[in-house]
Amino acid sequence: QLQFVESGGGLVQPGGSLRLSCAASGFTLDYRAIGWFRQAPGKEREGVLCISSGGGTTNYVDSVKGRFTISRDNAKNMVYLQMNSLKPEDTAIYYCARKNMGACGTYRGYTNWGQGTQVTVSS
């Protein structure tokens, strides 16, 4: 079964940090762009960051620039999202997904969505 499993979410105070992990099962990540998305209560899902097969990154939302970074470890079949200086508006369920191509491109065209991990930023 082809799927992602996200982990690392939790409750954190404003200004804090979290590192989310995305583990691929049933396929390898090597040649595919991988993206992180989030969905806040009552809002549509939005793209956050993408990492291409070559390691280049694409921001899909300006609000995380300078605070979030995406990385990948193909040997471990893992992708990570390091989130620093967290704000209450970052509260959401975070998902990872893949593209059937190496380039990030737009936030459309992603498949194999995981179940997500909840991130709550609150004092």
Side-chain angles (χ1 to χ4, degrees), residues 83-102:
M83 305 187 296
N84 299 327
S85 302
L86 282 161
K87 303 176 181 180
E89 51 263 44
D90 295 317
T91 295
I93 300 174
Y94 284 73
Y95 303 87
C96 56
R98 68 169 186 171
K99 279 199 169 182
N100 287 322
M101 57 191 291

Side-chain angles (χ1 to χ4, degrees), residues 30-80:
D30 295 31
Y31 304 108
R32 295 173 177 86
I34 308 298
W36 279 99
F37 292 74
R38 66 185 181 185
Q39 187 166 19
K43 295 187 177 181
E44 293 187 353
R45 186 169 58 197
E46 67 174 357
V48 178
L49 279 165
C50 170
I51 187 165
S52 71
S53 59
T57 62
T58 299
N59 268 88
Y60 288 137
V61 61
D62 288 341
S63 62
V64 306
K65 285 182 179 179
R67 300 189 298 123
F68 290 11
T69 56
I70 187 171
S71 61
R72 64 193 296 160
D73 185 337
N74 288 341
K76 295 182 178 179
N77 229 25
M78 298 284 291
V79 176
Y80 305 97

